[in-house]
């Protein structure tokens, strides 16, 4: 059967509906206030259709009467995760989290599931990869719900080992969870599609079904996704457009630090990051990220420079290390970790042109300590200073912070949020900060830290 057309009469005074016209509203008793409206409804068994969690199917709703999701955010019990999400989970939102195998995706999701199950109600964890026993072992290790912080699993935390999307939807209708987790979407399949799980059509169909479950019932949904060798999300690109948030978990499995970054967020900033430390009992939040990144910096080392970036709503202090040494044979190598190679090549070209450094026969290695990969151009001047320090054999003052964007002409361009970075530098005990002259001119007086403004990269010699 196709679409069905229904006729209703809506009161323009109170908004109530009536199946027949009587001349007078049966609710507010206003005369001649009923207006005829035609509503088209699809088949009741149409699985492709999504309905509202608050409005009647096929009926428009006044936007002014829709409650704001900002007041209804769900606390995950993990401060850094709440920060990346924009303040917590929004009911009905779809969150896609990706990362390399073993990086900690399932761990942080289990921690959030345990907290929400204890504080809010039923949580459904759908696993298409691991057995119930494997998930139970992880939950025993990381879940804590006792009043004294003792370990224990909430009775509201449910596990479902299932890959059929229709069965998952039926369980959600019966259980009515407050939070739904699907690990992972590449293992799910719909019986309506003949292709294998993980194919483009299956991922698209299962994503649509999960969106229907979340939006129609006001349930926040966490979806785990696989990544390719290049670190991109596996599956169709439409999955990223469909969800509300895309979170990326990065870090070196040989190190304890993990960085959670929002690549897309309809309910917050996309540049926000959260920092965690992998421990035996799960992921621990790192509140003082600047201190963690700078705790091993040795003062007076050649090629080591302190810099800063502004990620989301927080300033971060980082250490940049550079090493320049003569190449043995062939072309000189350019290797960077945390900095794009194209950006490094541009900085080296400016140093050769404007400062006269001979780098054609020098291997140059640049590293952001801690495995952190900052975004933006805040670190340009610090990278240039670190390379210059390694080449000339002298070290800058360890209590000096250097930041700024470097142009092809050698001039320095202003960066954003410099005042907040200065406050963070003062908190970390730095005595002076070097930044573009335009930023220095905007700084309000009253700061205890010494401000040094630079116009051109040539002035960097004064620091050594």
């Amino acid at each position: 059967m196709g679409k069905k057309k229904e006729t209703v009469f809506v009161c323009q005074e109170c908004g109530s509906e009536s199946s027949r016209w009587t001349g007078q509203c049966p609710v507010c008793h206003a005369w001649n206030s009923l207006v005829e409206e035609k509503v088209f409804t699809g088949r009741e068994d149409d699985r492709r259709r999504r309905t509202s969690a608050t409005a009647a199917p096929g009926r428009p709703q006044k936007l002014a009467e829709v409650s704001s999701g900002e007041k209804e955010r769900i606390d995950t019990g993990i401060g850094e995760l709440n920060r990346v999400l924009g303040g917590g989970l929004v009911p009905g939102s779809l969150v896609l989290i990706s990362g390399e195998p073993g990086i900690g995706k399932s761990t942080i999701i289990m921690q959030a599931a345990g907290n929400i199950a204890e504080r809010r109600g039923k949580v459904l964890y759908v696993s298409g990869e691991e057995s119930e026993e494997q998930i139970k072992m992880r939950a025993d290790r990381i879940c804590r719900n006792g009043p004294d912080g003792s370990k224990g699993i909430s009775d509201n935390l449910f596990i479902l080992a299932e890959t059929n999307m229709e069965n998952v939807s039926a369980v959600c209708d019966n259980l009515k969870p407050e939070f739904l987790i699907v690990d992972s979407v590449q293992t799910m399949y719909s019986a309506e599609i003949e292709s294998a799980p993980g194919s483009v059509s299956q991922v698209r169909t299962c994503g649509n079904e999960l969106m229907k479950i979340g939006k129609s019932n006001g349930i926040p949904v966490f979806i785990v996704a696989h990544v390719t060798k290049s670190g991109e999300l596996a599956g169709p690109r439409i999955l990223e457009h469909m969800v509300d948030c895309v979170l990326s978990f990065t870090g070196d499995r040989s190190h304890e630090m993990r960085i959670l970054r929002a690549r897309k967020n309809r309910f917050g900033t996309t540049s926000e990051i959260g920092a965690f430390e992998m421990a035996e009992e799960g992921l621990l939040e790192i509140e003082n990220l600047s201190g963690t990144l700078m705790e091993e910096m040795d003062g007076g080392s050649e090629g080591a420079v302190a810099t800063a970036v502004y990620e989301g709503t927080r300033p971060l202090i980082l250490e940049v290390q550079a090493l320049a040494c003569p190449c043995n044979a062939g072309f000189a190598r350019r290797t960077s970790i945390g900095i794009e190679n194209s950006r490094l090549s541009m900085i080296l070209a400016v140093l050769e042109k404007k400062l006269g450094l001979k780098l054609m026969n020098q291997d140059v290695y640049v590293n952001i300590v801690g495995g952190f990969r900052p975004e933006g151009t805040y670190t340009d001047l610090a990278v240039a200073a670190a390379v210059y320090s390694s080449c000339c054999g002298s070290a800058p003052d360890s209590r000096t912070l250097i930041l700024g964007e470097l142009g092809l002409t050698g001039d320095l361009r202003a960066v954003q949020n410099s005042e907040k970075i200065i406050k963070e530098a003062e908190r970390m005990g730095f005595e002076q900060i070097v930044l573009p002259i335009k930023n220095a001119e905007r700084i309000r007086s009253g700061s205890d830290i010494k401000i040094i403004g630079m116009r051109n990269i040539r002035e960097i010699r004064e620091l050594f």
Side-chain angles (χ1 to χ4, degrees), residues 143-174:
C143 285
R144 298 172 180 268
N145 67 352
D148 57 348
S150 59
K151 293 185 178 180
I153 301 176
S154 172
D155 292 335
N156 286 326
L157 183 54
F158 294 83
I159 178 68
L160 176 65
E162 180 61 74
T163 57
N164 183 275
M165 200 64 240
E166 285 77 16
N167 291 341
V168 173
S169 180
V171 171
C172 290
D173 291 339
N174 296 328

Side-chain angles (χ1 to χ4, degrees), residues 334-354:
R334 305 288 186 255
T335 304
S336 63
I337 301 177
I339 300 293
E340 293 183 1
N341 281 330
S342 58
R343 196 75 192 172
L344 174 61
S345 299
M346 184 274 289
I347 294 173
L348 298 180
V350 173
L351 288 175
E352 286 192 276
K353 181 70 175 180
K354 303 300 179 181

Side-chain angles (χ1 to χ4, degrees), residues 101-337:
I103 205 69
K105 304 185 298 298
S106 299
T107 300
I108 192 173
I109 290 176
M110 179 57 71
Q111 289 180 228
N115 295 333
I116 295 175
E118 183 65 24
R119 302 176 183 182
R120 298 277 303 191
K122 298 177 181 178
V123 173
L124 179 60
Y125 192 115
V126 180
S127 175
E129 298 180 348
E130 297 178 299
S131 64
E132 296 93 331
E133 291 78 11
Q134 289 175 301
I135 298 176
K136 177 64 162 56
M137 292 173 59
R138 183 186 300 115
D140 287 336
R141 178 171 54 88
I142 64 179
C143 285
R144 298 172 180 268
N145 67 352
D148 57 348
S150 59
K151 293 185 178 180
I153 301 176
S154 172
D155 292 335
N156 286 326
L157 183 54
F158 294 83
I159 178 68
L160 176 65
E162 180 61 74
T163 57
N164 183 275
M165 200 64 240
E166 285 77 16
N167 291 341
V168 173
S169 180
V171 171
C172 290
D173 291 339
N174 296 328
L175 187 63
K176 300 187 184 305
E178 296 288 334
F179 183 35
L180 173 62
I181 300 168
V182 177
D183 186 7
S184 67
V185 69
Q186 275 83 8
T187 63
M188 307 304 293
Y189 75 95
S190 173
E192 299 178 356
I193 306 297
E194 296 295 333
S195 58
S199 62
V200 173
S201 57
Q202 284 287 5
V203 172
R204 184 191 300 115
T205 302
C206 293
N208 277 323
E209 183 65 22
L210 291 172
M211 183 175 65
K212 174 186 174 183
I213 294 173
K215 303 296 184 184
S216 301
N217 302 292
I219 303 173
V221 181
F222 248 58
I223 306 173
V224 180
H226 295 165
V227 295
T228 61
K229 292 182 179 179
S230 60
E232 298 294 328
L233 278 171
R237 194 74 176 183
I238 191 175
L239 189 61
E240 294 184 61
H241 297 296
M242 188 185 305
V243 300
D244 300 305
C245 302
V246 178
L247 307 183
S248 177
F249 228 154
T250 59
D252 191 346
R253 281 181 289 179
S254 61
H255 294 80
E256 297 177 348
M257 182 179 295
R258 303 288 188 268
I259 299 296
L260 183 65
R261 186 185 298 273
R263 293 170 50 185
K264 171 188 176 182
N265 193 352
R266 290 174 177 165
F267 312 112
T269 176
T270 57
S271 58
E272 194 64 80
I273 65 169
F276 300 90
E277 180 183 0
M278 180 63 76
E280 182 180 356
E281 60 272 23
L283 288 168
L284 305 179
E285 300 177 55
I286 300 177
E287 297 182 357
N288 185 15
L289 183 55
S290 296
T292 302
L293 295 172
M294 294 292 296
E295 62 184 0
E296 297 182 359
M297 182 177 180
D298 295 329
S301 299
E302 298 177 5
V305 173
T307 186
V309 296
Y310 197 82
E311 296 281 349
T313 58
R314 69 161 97 177
L316 299 177
I317 309 298
L318 309 170
E319 179 187 356
V320 178
Q321 294 181 347
L323 174 64
C325 58
C327 61
N328 295 325
F331 293 99
R333 299 184 62 183
R334 305 288 186 255
T335 304
S336 63
I337 301 177

